[in-house]
Protein backbone atom coordinates (compact mmCIF):
# COMPACT_ATOMS: atom_id res chain seq x y z
CA UNK A 1 0.00 0.00 0.00
CA UNK A 2 2.81 2.41 0.89
CA UNK A 3 4.54 1.71 -2.43
CA UNK A 4 1.32 2.48 -4.32
CA UNK A 5 0.91 5.79 -2.45
CA UNK A 6 4.48 6.78 -3.25
CA UNK A 7 3.79 5.99 -6.90
CA UNK A 8 0.75 8.31 -6.88
CA UNK A 9 2.87 11.04 -5.26
CA UNK A 10 5.44 10.59 -8.02
CA UNK A 11 2.76 11.08 -10.68
CA UNK A 12 1.42 14.19 -8.95
CA UNK A 13 4.88 15.75 -8.63
CA UNK A 14 6.02 15.04 -12.20
CA UNK A 15 3.94 16.86 -14.78
CA UNK A 16 5.76 15.02 -17.57
CA UNK A 17 4.70 11.58 -16.33
CA UNK A 18 2.98 9.80 -19.20
CA UNK A 19 1.40 6.95 -17.25
CA UNK A 20 -2.08 8.48 -17.31
CA UNK A 21 -1.65 10.77 -20.30
CA UNK A 22 -4.43 10.41 -22.85
CA UNK A 23 -3.16 8.86 -26.06
CA UNK A 24 -4.15 9.97 -29.54
CA UNK A 25 -3.94 6.89 -31.75
CA UNK A 26 -4.29 7.35 -35.49
CA UNK A 27 -7.81 6.56 -36.58
CA UNK A 28 -9.72 6.66 -39.83
CA UNK A 29 -10.71 10.28 -39.03
CA UNK A 30 -7.15 11.51 -39.60
CA UNK A 31 -5.91 12.55 -43.02
CA UNK A 32 -3.21 9.91 -43.05
CA UNK A 33 -2.17 6.51 -44.35
CA UNK A 34 -1.31 3.62 -42.03
CA UNK A 35 1.20 1.07 -43.29
CA UNK A 36 0.81 -2.21 -41.38
CA UNK A 37 1.59 -5.86 -41.72
CA UNK A 38 -1.42 -8.16 -41.96
CA UNK A 39 -0.73 -9.40 -38.43
CA UNK A 40 -0.79 -5.85 -37.06
CA UNK A 41 -4.02 -5.06 -38.91
CA UNK A 42 -5.88 -7.97 -37.36
CA UNK A 43 -9.00 -6.78 -35.55
CA UNK A 44 -8.86 -3.28 -37.11
CA UNK A 45 -10.93 -1.70 -39.89
CA UNK A 46 -10.26 1.14 -42.31
CA UNK A 47 -12.38 2.78 -45.02
CA UNK A 48 -9.89 1.86 -47.78
CA UNK A 49 -7.45 -1.03 -47.79
CA UNK A 50 -4.61 -1.63 -50.28
CA UNK A 51 -3.06 -5.10 -50.15
CA UNK A 52 0.37 -5.11 -51.75
CA UNK A 53 3.05 -7.75 -52.33
CA UNK A 54 0.46 -10.33 -53.30
CA UNK A 55 3.04 -11.81 -55.67
CA UNK A 56 5.35 -12.75 -52.78
CA UNK A 57 6.29 -16.43 -53.13
CA UNK A 58 5.37 -18.90 -50.44
CA UNK A 59 8.45 -21.02 -51.09
CA UNK A 60 10.76 -18.70 -49.13
CA UNK A 61 9.85 -20.55 -45.93
CA UNK A 62 10.36 -24.02 -47.41
CA UNK A 63 13.42 -26.11 -46.41
CA UNK A 64 16.52 -25.17 -48.35
CA UNK A 65 18.28 -27.72 -50.51
CA UNK A 66 20.96 -28.20 -47.88
CA UNK A 67 18.51 -28.98 -45.09
CA UNK A 68 19.00 -32.55 -43.89
CA UNK A 69 15.91 -32.98 -41.72
CA UNK A 70 12.28 -31.93 -41.43
CA UNK A 71 10.47 -32.04 -38.09
CA UNK A 72 6.69 -32.19 -37.84
CA UNK A 73 5.89 -29.98 -34.84
CA UNK A 74 2.53 -31.53 -33.96
CA UNK A 75 3.41 -35.23 -34.15
CA UNK A 76 7.12 -35.11 -33.42
CA UNK A 77 7.92 -37.16 -36.56
CA UNK A 78 11.34 -36.62 -38.09
CA UNK A 79 12.20 -36.87 -41.79
CA UNK A 80 15.87 -37.23 -42.77
CA UNK A 81 17.86 -37.22 -46.00
CA UNK A 82 19.79 -40.40 -46.81
CA UNK A 83 23.52 -39.93 -47.34
CA UNK A 84 25.08 -42.04 -50.11
CA UNK A 85 28.77 -41.94 -49.21
CA UNK A 86 29.88 -43.79 -52.32
CA UNK A 87 28.25 -41.45 -54.82
CA UNK A 88 28.38 -38.37 -52.57
CA UNK A 89 24.64 -37.82 -52.82
CA UNK A 90 21.93 -36.79 -50.39
CA UNK A 91 18.64 -38.51 -51.18
CA UNK A 92 15.24 -37.55 -49.83
CA UNK A 93 13.61 -40.37 -47.90
CA UNK A 94 9.88 -41.03 -48.05
CA UNK A 95 9.48 -39.57 -44.56
CA UNK A 96 11.40 -36.44 -45.55
CA UNK A 97 9.27 -35.92 -48.66
CA UNK A 98 6.02 -36.58 -46.79
CA UNK A 99 6.79 -34.18 -43.93
CA UNK A 100 8.04 -31.58 -46.42
CA UNK A 101 4.66 -31.68 -48.17
CA UNK A 102 2.81 -31.48 -44.84
CA UNK A 103 4.84 -28.44 -43.81
CA UNK A 104 4.21 -26.79 -47.17
CA UNK A 105 0.46 -27.30 -46.83
CA UNK A 106 0.48 -26.01 -43.27
CA UNK A 107 2.29 -22.87 -44.37
CA UNK A 108 -0.18 -22.35 -47.20
CA UNK A 109 -3.08 -22.75 -44.79
CA UNK A 110 -1.56 -19.98 -42.69
CA UNK A 111 -1.07 -17.79 -45.78
CA UNK A 112 -4.71 -18.31 -46.72
CA UNK A 113 -5.80 -17.24 -43.22
CA UNK A 114 -3.66 -14.12 -43.57
CA UNK A 115 -5.26 -13.31 -46.92
CA UNK A 116 -8.70 -13.68 -45.37
CA UNK A 117 -7.73 -11.30 -42.54
CA UNK A 118 -6.36 -8.74 -45.00
CA UNK A 119 -9.40 -8.82 -47.31
CA UNK A 120 -11.86 -8.32 -44.44
CA UNK A 121 -10.33 -5.10 -43.04
CA UNK A 122 -11.94 -2.73 -45.59
CA UNK A 123 -15.16 -0.89 -44.69
CA UNK A 124 -15.74 0.78 -48.10
CA UNK A 125 -13.28 -0.31 -50.76
CA UNK A 126 -10.66 -3.01 -51.12
CA UNK A 127 -7.74 -2.61 -53.53
CA UNK A 128 -5.81 -5.75 -54.55
CA UNK A 129 -2.48 -4.92 -56.21
CA UNK A 130 -1.56 -7.58 -58.80
CA UNK A 131 1.10 -7.79 -61.49
CA UNK A 132 1.34 -9.67 -64.76
CA UNK A 133 3.49 -12.48 -63.33
CA UNK A 134 0.24 -14.25 -62.44
CA UNK A 135 -0.50 -14.63 -66.19
CA UNK A 136 2.44 -17.00 -66.59
CA UNK A 137 0.74 -19.84 -64.74
CA UNK A 138 0.12 -22.96 -66.83
CA UNK A 139 -3.07 -23.68 -64.93
CA UNK A 140 -5.10 -20.71 -66.24
CA UNK A 141 -6.43 -22.39 -69.38
CA UNK A 142 -7.24 -25.56 -67.45
CA UNK A 143 -9.11 -23.63 -64.76
CA UNK A 144 -11.02 -21.54 -67.31
CA UNK A 145 -12.33 -24.62 -69.12
CA UNK A 146 -12.76 -26.77 -65.99
CA UNK A 147 -13.55 -24.36 -63.10
CA UNK A 148 -14.53 -27.24 -60.78
CA UNK A 149 -10.87 -28.22 -60.35
CA UNK A 150 -9.98 -24.86 -58.80
CA UNK A 151 -10.15 -26.19 -55.18
CA UNK A 152 -7.88 -29.08 -56.11
CA UNK A 153 -5.24 -26.81 -57.64
CA UNK A 154 -5.28 -24.30 -54.77
CA UNK A 155 -2.49 -26.17 -52.96
CA UNK A 156 -0.20 -25.67 -55.98
CA UNK A 157 -0.37 -21.88 -55.77
CA UNK A 158 2.95 -20.14 -55.24
CA UNK A 159 1.56 -16.80 -54.04
CA UNK A 160 -1.62 -15.13 -52.84
CA UNK A 161 -1.88 -13.55 -56.28
CA UNK A 162 -2.22 -17.01 -57.83
CA UNK A 163 -5.26 -17.74 -55.67
CA UNK A 164 -6.95 -14.48 -56.65
CA UNK A 165 -6.31 -14.75 -60.39
CA UNK A 166 -7.21 -18.44 -60.50
CA UNK A 167 -10.47 -17.71 -58.74
CA UNK A 168 -11.32 -14.97 -61.24
CA UNK A 169 -10.64 -17.36 -64.11
CA UNK A 170 -12.85 -20.01 -62.50
CA UNK A 171 -15.83 -17.61 -62.34
CA UNK A 172 -15.63 -16.49 -65.97
CA UNK A 173 -13.48 -13.39 -65.55
CA UNK A 174 -10.60 -14.61 -67.73
CA UNK A 175 -11.35 -12.24 -70.62
CA UNK A 176 -11.36 -9.24 -68.33
CA UNK A 177 -8.09 -10.24 -66.69
CA UNK A 178 -6.37 -10.71 -70.05
CA UNK A 179 -7.62 -7.30 -71.22
CA UNK A 180 -6.49 -5.67 -68.01
CA UNK A 181 -2.93 -6.96 -68.28
CA UNK A 182 -2.82 -6.05 -71.96
CA UNK A 183 -3.35 -2.41 -71.00
CA UNK A 184 -7.14 -1.93 -71.07
CA UNK A 185 -9.07 -1.22 -67.90
CA UNK A 186 -12.38 -3.04 -67.51
CA UNK A 187 -15.35 -3.04 -65.16
CA UNK A 188 -17.00 -6.38 -64.53
CA UNK A 189 -19.72 -7.63 -62.23
CA UNK A 190 -17.16 -8.50 -59.57
CA UNK A 191 -14.79 -5.55 -59.50
CA UNK A 192 -13.37 -2.46 -61.17
CA UNK A 193 -10.07 -3.33 -62.85
CA UNK A 194 -7.75 -0.35 -62.98
CA UNK A 195 -4.46 -0.38 -64.94
CA UNK A 196 -1.60 1.73 -63.65
CA UNK A 197 1.37 2.32 -65.92
CA UNK A 198 4.27 4.06 -64.16
CA UNK A 199 5.60 5.39 -67.49
CA UNK A 200 2.42 6.77 -69.10
CA UNK A 201 0.35 7.31 -65.96
CA UNK A 202 -2.61 5.60 -67.65
CA UNK A 203 -5.60 5.07 -65.45
CA UNK A 204 -9.02 3.99 -66.58
CA UNK A 205 -11.86 5.51 -64.57
CA UNK A 206 -14.82 3.24 -63.83
CA UNK A 207 -18.21 3.93 -65.34
CA UNK A 208 -20.13 5.92 -62.67
CA UNK A 209 -23.40 4.37 -63.82
CA UNK A 210 -22.08 0.84 -63.50
CA UNK A 211 -23.35 -0.86 -60.34
CA UNK A 212 -21.49 -3.81 -58.99
CA UNK A 213 -23.53 -6.98 -58.92
CA UNK A 214 -22.41 -9.35 -56.21
CA UNK A 215 -23.41 -12.89 -57.16
CA UNK A 216 -25.28 -14.70 -54.42
CA UNK A 217 -25.97 -18.39 -54.10
CA UNK A 218 -29.53 -19.53 -53.66
CA UNK A 219 -30.21 -20.49 -50.03
CA UNK A 220 -30.66 -24.14 -49.19
CA UNK A 221 -34.31 -24.64 -48.11
CA UNK A 222 -33.50 -27.33 -45.54
CA UNK A 223 -30.78 -25.23 -43.93
CA UNK A 224 -33.04 -22.16 -43.88
CA UNK A 225 -35.77 -24.17 -42.15
CA UNK A 226 -33.35 -25.22 -39.40
CA UNK A 227 -32.06 -21.65 -38.96
CA UNK A 228 -35.56 -20.17 -38.77
CA UNK A 229 -36.61 -22.80 -36.24
CA UNK A 230 -33.62 -21.98 -34.04
CA UNK A 231 -34.09 -18.23 -34.31
CA UNK A 232 -37.82 -18.44 -33.59
CA UNK A 233 -37.33 -20.56 -30.46
CA UNK A 234 -38.40 -18.71 -27.32
CA UNK A 235 -37.42 -19.71 -23.80
CA UNK A 236 -40.09 -19.90 -21.12
CA UNK A 237 -39.74 -16.53 -19.42
CA UNK A 238 -39.98 -17.92 -15.89
CA UNK A 239 -37.52 -20.78 -16.31
CA UNK A 240 -35.03 -18.74 -18.32
CA UNK A 241 -33.92 -16.83 -15.20
CA UNK A 242 -33.85 -19.81 -12.82
CA UNK A 243 -30.40 -21.09 -11.80
CA UNK A 244 -29.83 -24.67 -12.90
CA UNK A 245 -27.94 -25.41 -9.67
CA UNK A 246 -29.21 -23.99 -6.39
CA UNK A 247 -27.30 -24.00 -3.11
CA UNK A 248 -29.25 -24.65 0.11
CA UNK A 249 -27.16 -22.06 1.97
CA UNK A 250 -28.49 -19.35 -0.35
CA UNK A 251 -31.86 -19.74 1.36
CA UNK A 252 -30.47 -18.30 4.59
CA UNK A 253 -28.60 -15.32 3.10
CA UNK A 254 -30.31 -12.03 3.69
CA UNK A 255 -30.71 -9.78 0.66
CA UNK A 256 -27.80 -7.34 0.26
CA UNK A 257 -25.95 -9.09 3.12
CA UNK A 258 -22.26 -8.20 3.07
CA UNK A 259 -19.59 -10.57 4.38
CA UNK A 260 -16.61 -8.73 5.88
CA UNK A 261 -13.30 -10.58 6.06
CA UNK A 262 -10.10 -9.75 7.88
CA UNK A 263 -7.42 -7.95 5.81
CA UNK A 264 -4.27 -9.88 5.02
CA UNK A 265 -1.92 -7.34 6.62
CA UNK A 266 -3.00 -8.18 10.19
CA UNK A 267 -0.24 -9.68 12.33
CA UNK A 268 -0.44 -13.27 13.51
CA UNK A 269 -1.62 -12.26 17.00
CA UNK A 270 -4.18 -9.86 15.54
CA UNK A 271 -5.54 -12.67 13.39
CA UNK A 272 -5.92 -14.94 16.39
CA UNK A 273 -7.85 -12.30 18.29
CA UNK A 274 -9.92 -11.21 15.30
CA UNK A 275 -10.78 -14.60 13.73
CA UNK A 276 -14.53 -14.36 13.57
CA UNK A 277 -17.55 -14.61 11.31
CA UNK A 278 -17.08 -16.93 8.38
CA UNK A 279 -13.45 -17.75 9.33
CA UNK A 280 -14.38 -18.89 12.85
CA UNK A 281 -17.40 -20.78 11.55
CA UNK A 282 -15.24 -22.60 8.99
CA UNK A 283 -12.76 -23.60 11.73
CA UNK A 284 -15.52 -24.99 13.97
CA UNK A 285 -17.11 -26.93 11.09
CA UNK A 286 -13.76 -28.49 10.17
CA UNK A 287 -13.10 -29.37 13.80
CA UNK A 288 -16.49 -31.07 14.20
CA UNK A 289 -15.97 -32.95 10.92
CA UNK A 290 -12.56 -34.47 11.74
CA UNK A 291 -12.83 -34.79 15.51
CA UNK A 292 -13.38 -38.14 17.23
CA UNK A 293 -16.23 -37.22 19.59
CA UNK A 294 -15.46 -39.90 22.16
CA UNK A 295 -11.79 -38.86 22.40
CA UNK A 296 -12.72 -35.17 22.50
CA UNK A 297 -15.18 -35.82 25.34
CA UNK A 298 -12.39 -37.36 27.40
CA UNK A 299 -9.53 -34.97 26.47
CA UNK A 300 -10.44 -32.08 24.16
CA UNK A 301 -6.95 -30.53 24.13
CA UNK A 302 -5.27 -33.76 23.04
CA UNK A 303 -7.85 -34.31 20.30
CA UNK A 304 -7.34 -30.79 18.94
CA UNK A 305 -3.59 -31.40 18.85
CA UNK A 306 -4.16 -34.67 16.98
CA UNK A 307 -6.28 -33.13 14.21
CA UNK A 308 -3.81 -30.24 13.94
CA UNK A 309 -0.95 -32.69 13.43
CA UNK A 310 -2.97 -34.43 10.69
CA UNK A 311 -3.31 -31.07 8.90
CA UNK A 312 -7.08 -30.85 9.30
CA UNK A 313 -6.79 -27.52 11.16
CA UNK A 314 -4.10 -24.86 11.11
CA UNK A 315 -2.35 -23.74 14.27
CA UNK A 316 -4.06 -20.36 13.93
CA UNK A 317 -7.51 -21.95 13.77
CA UNK A 318 -6.86 -24.17 16.79
CA UNK A 319 -5.64 -21.23 18.90
CA UNK A 320 -8.68 -19.17 17.91
CA UNK A 321 -11.21 -21.81 19.01
CA UNK A 322 -12.95 -21.22 22.32
CA UNK A 323 -12.44 -24.51 24.09
CA UNK A 324 -14.88 -23.68 26.89
CA UNK A 325 -17.68 -23.47 24.30
CA UNK A 326 -16.63 -26.80 22.82
CA UNK A 327 -16.61 -28.51 26.22
CA UNK A 328 -20.14 -27.26 26.82
CA UNK A 329 -21.28 -28.98 23.61
CA UNK A 330 -20.09 -32.36 24.90
CA UNK A 331 -22.20 -31.87 28.05
CA UNK A 332 -25.37 -30.95 26.09
CA UNK A 333 -28.47 -33.12 25.77
CA UNK A 334 -28.17 -33.24 21.98
CA UNK A 335 -24.65 -34.69 22.26
CA UNK A 336 -25.91 -37.39 24.62
CA UNK A 337 -28.33 -38.45 21.89
CA UNK A 338 -25.51 -38.40 19.31
CA UNK A 339 -23.25 -40.58 21.47
CA UNK A 340 -26.11 -43.07 21.95
CA UNK A 341 -26.86 -43.25 18.21
CA UNK A 342 -26.08 -46.38 16.21
CA UNK A 343 -25.11 -44.43 13.08
CA UNK A 344 -23.64 -40.91 12.73
CA UNK A 345 -22.96 -39.14 9.40
CA UNK A 346 -20.78 -36.02 9.23
CA UNK A 347 -20.72 -33.54 6.36
CA UNK A 348 -23.31 -35.47 4.37
CA UNK A 349 -23.45 -33.96 0.89
CA UNK A 350 -26.62 -33.75 -1.16
CA UNK A 351 -27.11 -33.32 -4.90
CA UNK A 352 -30.70 -33.90 -5.96
CA UNK A 353 -33.29 -32.70 -8.43
CA UNK A 354 -35.55 -30.06 -6.93
CA UNK A 355 -38.53 -31.66 -8.65
CA UNK A 356 -37.86 -34.87 -6.63
CA UNK A 357 -38.06 -33.21 -3.19
CA UNK A 358 -41.82 -33.77 -2.72
CA UNK A 359 -42.35 -30.13 -1.75
CA UNK A 360 -45.91 -28.94 -0.99
CA UNK A 361 -48.06 -28.14 -4.03
CA UNK A 362 -48.55 -24.55 -2.91
CA UNK A 363 -44.77 -23.95 -2.92
CA UNK A 364 -43.76 -21.36 -5.52
CA UNK A 365 -40.26 -22.87 -5.45
CA UNK A 366 -41.69 -26.26 -6.44
CA UNK A 367 -43.83 -24.76 -9.22
CA UNK A 368 -40.86 -22.92 -10.72
CA UNK A 369 -38.78 -26.10 -10.94
CA UNK A 370 -41.57 -28.46 -11.93
CA UNK A 371 -40.62 -30.65 -14.92
CA UNK A 372 -37.06 -29.24 -14.93
CA UNK A 373 -33.64 -30.74 -14.25
CA UNK A 374 -32.66 -28.02 -11.80
CA UNK A 375 -30.75 -29.43 -8.83
CA UNK A 376 -30.15 -28.33 -5.26
CA UNK A 377 -26.83 -28.88 -3.52
CA UNK A 378 -25.66 -28.58 0.04
CA UNK A 379 -23.94 -30.23 2.99
CA UNK A 380 -25.62 -31.40 6.20
CA UNK A 381 -23.30 -30.82 9.16
CA UNK A 382 -24.37 -33.92 11.10
CA UNK A 383 -26.98 -36.69 10.88
CA UNK A 384 -27.57 -39.29 13.56
CA UNK A 385 -29.94 -42.22 13.55
CA UNK A 386 -32.43 -43.21 16.24
CA UNK A 387 -34.86 -46.15 16.20
CA UNK A 388 -37.75 -44.05 14.85
CA UNK A 389 -35.86 -41.94 12.30
CA UNK A 390 -32.99 -39.63 11.51
CA UNK A 391 -32.14 -36.34 13.21
CA UNK A 392 -30.38 -33.38 11.54
CA UNK A 393 -28.01 -31.13 13.49
CA UNK A 394 -26.75 -27.88 11.99
CA UNK A 395 -23.95 -25.82 13.59
CA UNK A 396 -24.22 -22.03 13.73
CA UNK A 397 -21.56 -19.58 14.92
CA UNK A 398 -23.28 -16.28 14.15
CA UNK A 399 -22.77 -13.31 16.41
CA UNK A 400 -25.13 -13.21 19.37
CA UNK A 401 -28.74 -12.84 18.32
CA UNK A 402 -32.14 -14.00 19.62
CA UNK A 403 -33.21 -17.59 19.09
CA UNK A 404 -36.30 -16.42 17.19
CA UNK A 405 -34.09 -14.65 14.66
CA UNK A 406 -31.94 -17.75 14.14
CA UNK A 407 -35.00 -19.94 13.57
CA UNK A 408 -36.52 -17.44 11.16
CA UNK A 409 -33.28 -17.21 9.20
CA UNK A 410 -32.35 -20.91 9.01
CA UNK A 411 -35.56 -22.95 9.28
CA UNK A 412 -36.14 -23.14 5.54
CA UNK A 413 -32.57 -24.36 5.04
CA UNK A 414 -33.15 -27.18 7.56
CA UNK A 415 -36.47 -27.99 5.90
CA UNK A 416 -34.78 -28.53 2.54
CA UNK A 417 -32.18 -30.70 4.27
CA UNK A 418 -35.02 -32.82 5.66
CA UNK A 419 -36.73 -33.24 2.26
CA UNK A 420 -33.45 -34.10 0.52
CA UNK A 421 -32.24 -36.56 3.17
CA UNK A 422 -35.57 -38.40 3.24
CA UNK A 423 -35.31 -38.86 -0.51
CA UNK A 424 -31.63 -39.89 -0.42
CA UNK A 425 -31.75 -42.16 2.66
CA UNK A 426 -35.20 -43.61 2.04
CA UNK A 427 -36.11 -43.13 5.72
CA UNK A 428 -37.96 -40.40 7.61
CA UNK A 429 -36.13 -37.43 9.11
CA UNK A 430 -38.10 -36.76 12.27
CA UNK A 431 -36.34 -33.74 13.77
CA UNK A 432 -33.90 -30.95 12.96
CA UNK A 433 -31.88 -28.90 15.42
CA UNK A 434 -29.56 -25.90 15.36
CA UNK A 435 -26.69 -25.94 17.83
CA UNK A 436 -25.80 -22.31 18.51
CA UNK A 437 -22.13 -22.33 19.60
CA UNK A 438 -22.13 -18.63 20.48
CA UNK A 439 -24.74 -19.13 23.24
CA UNK A 440 -24.28 -22.87 23.95
CA UNK A 441 -27.89 -23.39 22.96
CA UNK A 442 -29.82 -26.12 21.11
CA UNK A 443 -32.82 -24.88 19.07
CA UNK A 444 -35.42 -27.23 17.64
CA UNK A 445 -36.84 -26.40 14.19
CA UNK A 446 -40.57 -27.02 13.75
CA UNK A 447 -40.45 -28.80 10.41
CA UNK A 448 -44.25 -28.80 10.09
CA UNK A 449 -44.44 -24.99 10.00
CA UNK A 450 -41.88 -24.32 7.27
CA UNK A 451 -43.14 -22.37 4.24
CA UNK A 452 -41.43 -23.51 1.05
Amino acid sequence: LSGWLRYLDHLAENEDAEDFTAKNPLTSNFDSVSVKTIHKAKGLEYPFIFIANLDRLFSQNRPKSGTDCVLAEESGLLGLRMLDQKQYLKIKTVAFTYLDIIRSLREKHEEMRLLYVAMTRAKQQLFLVLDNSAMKSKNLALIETNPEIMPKLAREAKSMQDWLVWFLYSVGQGDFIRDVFSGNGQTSELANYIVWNPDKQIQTAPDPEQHLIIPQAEPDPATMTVIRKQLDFAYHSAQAVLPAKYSVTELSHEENEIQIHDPEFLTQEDKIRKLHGKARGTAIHKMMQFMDFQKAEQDLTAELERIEEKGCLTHLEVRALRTEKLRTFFKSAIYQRISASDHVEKEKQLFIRIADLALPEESEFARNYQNTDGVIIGTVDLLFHEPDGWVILDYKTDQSQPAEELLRKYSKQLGFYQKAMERILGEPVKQAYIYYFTEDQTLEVDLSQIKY
Side-chain angles (χ1 to χ4, degrees):
L1 179 61
S2 59
W4 170 249
L5 294 176
R6 286 195 299 271
Y7 176 62
L8 294 180
D9 291 339
H10 165 73
L11 295 178
E13 294 170 359
N14 295 274
E15 297 181 356
D16 297 332
E18 298 182 356
D19 299 71
F20 294 105
T21 305
K23 304 298 181 183
N24 292 317
L26 289 176
T27 66
S28 58
N29 296 325
F30 286 79
D31 186 12
S32 61
V33 174
S34 297
V35 180
K36 294 181 178 292
T37 63
I38 297 177
H39 285 288
K40 289 290 185 180
K42 188 176 182 180
L44 303 177
E45 286 187 330
Y46 297 90
F48 306 96
I49 291 290
F50 288 80
I51 306 179
N53 294 333
L54 289 170
D55 57 333
R56 177 181 57 85
L57 299 179
F58 299 148
S59 58
Q60 61 184 12
N61 295 324
R62 294 282 303 280
K64 297 180 181 179
S65 57
T67 302
D68 293 332
C69 67
V70 178
L71 177 66
E73 298 175 1
E74 292 83 1
S75 62
L77 297 177
L78 182 65
L80 301 174
R81 293 179 187 267
M82 183 183 296
L83 178 61
D84 188 339
Q85 297 183 352
K86 294 182 178 180
Q87 301 184 34
Y88 300 100
L89 295 176
K90 288 183 178 181
I91 305 170
K92 293 182 179 180
T93 61
V94 174
F96 183 96
T97 304
Y98 170 75
L99 294 179
D100 192 15
I101 294 173
I102 294 299
R103 174 156 63 174
S104 173
L105 291 177
R106 186 170 61 245
E107 291 174 355
K108 287 183 179 178
H109 290 165
E110 178 62 23
E111 295 285 353
M112 189 170 287
R113 284 191 287 269
L114 287 175
L115 180 60
Y116 168 79
V117 170
M119 294 181 67
T120 53
R121 301 306 95 202
K123 298 169 68 174
Q124 297 181 27
Q125 279 188 300
L126 173 67
F127 296 85
L128 303 174
V129 182
L130 310 177
D131 67 13
N132 58 7
S133 63
M135 303 302 294
K136 300 177 182 179
S137 174
K138 300 177 181 179
N139 294 324
L140 294 181
L142 183 59
I143 294 173
E144 190 171 20
T145 55
N146 301 278
E148 67 277 2
I149 70 170
M150 168 60 191
K152 301 292 184 181
L153 293 177
R155 66 178 60 187
E156 297 185 10
K158 297 181 180 179
S159 66
M160 293 180 180
Q161 179 174 257
D162 283 345
W163 283 329
L164 296 171
V165 173
W166 293 1
F167 166 75
L168 293 172
Y169 265 75
S170 70
V171 295
Q173 298 286 297
D175 292 339
F176 290 102
I177 296 296
R178 282 189 289 270
D179 289 342
V180 166
F181 285 113
S182 64
N184 299 317
Q186 296 285 345
T187 299
S188 76
E189 296 178 349
L190 289 181
N192 296 333
Y193 298 107
I194 301 173
V195 177
W196 178 73
N197 190 313
D199 299 325
K200 300 182 179 180
Q201 295 295 314
I202 299 175
Q203 181 170 336
T204 304
D207 184 357
E209 298 182 357
Q210 177 71 33
H211 298 286
L212 296 181
I213 302 175
I214 307 300
Q216 296 183 352
E218 291 295 326
D220 178 57
T223 303
M224 293 298 296
T225 300
V226 174
I227 293 174
R228 288 194 181 98
K229 182 179 179 181
Q230 293 175 342
L231 293 177
D232 293 341
F233 178 81
Y235 289 95
H236 188 279
S237 58
Q239 294 183 2
V241 298
L242 291 176
K245 186 170 65 174
Y246 201 92
S247 172
V248 179
T249 55
E250 295 177 16
L251 300 170
S252 61
H253 288 172
E254 301 288 348
E255 187 174 0
N256 300 326
E257 181 179 0
I258 300 176
Q259 297 290 335
I260 301 177
H261 304 287
D262 296 328
E264 290 295 331
F265 55 77
L266 287 178
T267 64
Q268 193 80 346
E269 291 299 323
D270 288 334
K271 285 184 178 182
I272 294 173
R273 291 195 299 269
K274 292 180 177 292
L275 191 63
H276 63 278
K278 185 177 180 181
R280 185 181 298 277
T282 300
I284 290 178
H285 277 76
K286 288 198 297 184
M287 177 203 67
M288 298 297 285
Q289 176 183 358
F290 297 108
M291 178 181 289
D292 185 319
F293 284 172
Q294 292 183 350
K295 294 180 179 179
E297 185 181 2
Q298 298 172 1
D299 190 341
L300 179 60
T301 302
E303 181 62 12
L304 289 175
E305 291 176 353
R306 185 187 70 84
I307 60 178
E308 180 184 348
E309 290 176 0
K310 291 181 62 177
C312 302
L313 288 177
T314 65
H315 181 66
L316 172 62
E317 290 172 326
V318 172
R319 291 187 62 186
L321 293 173
R322 299 173 182 174
T323 54
E324 67 277 5
K325 298 288 185 181
L326 303 179
R327 290 190 173 91
T328 303
F329 168 77
F330 291 109
K331 298 177 182 179
S332 65
I334 192 67
Y335 173 72
Q336 303 308 316
R337 293 173 63 182
I338 295 172
S339 61
S341 172
D342 59 349
H343 192 174
V344 177
E345 292 271 0
K346 295 181 180 180
E347 298 295 317
K348 181 70 173 179
Q349 296 185 351
L350 60 95
F351 186 97
I352 189 170
R353 280 205 328 160
I354 298 173
D356 294 336
L357 290 181
L359 298 175
E361 295 181 359
E362 65 273 12
S363 168
E364 182 180 357
F365 197 83
R367 290 196 301 270
N368 289 340
Y369 283 95
Q370 186 178 10
N371 300 322
T372 71
D373 291 326
V375 297
I376 193 165
I377 62 174
T379 304
V380 180
D381 294 338
L382 188 139
L383 274 164
F384 64 91
H385 187 260
E386 293 182 334
D388 55 345
W390 289 87
V391 180
I392 292 176
L393 181 62
D394 196 58
Y395 313 131
K396 298 301 176 190
T397 58
D398 302 48
Q399 295 179 353
S400 297
Q401 52 187 296
E404 295 79 9
E405 179 64 19
L406 277 176
L407 291 173
R408 182 196 66 79
K409 187 175 180 180
Y410 294 110
S411 288
K412 185 179 291 188
Q413 177 183 348
L414 272 292
F416 273 93
Y417 283 157
Q418 178 209 19
K419 297 292 186 183
M421 286 298 104
E422 287 184 338
R423 183 72 176 178
I424 293 171
L425 300 173
E427 296 183 55
V429 175
K430 62 175 185 176
Q431 291 173 314
Y433 294 92
I434 295 174
Y435 187 82
Y436 189 23
F437 275 92
T438 306
E439 300 295 333
D440 301 324
Q441 187 178 13
T442 304
L443 306 174
E444 182 174 4
V445 176
D446 189 348
L447 298 173
S448 63
Q449 299 298 318
I450 296 176
K451 303 295 183 183
Y452 296 94

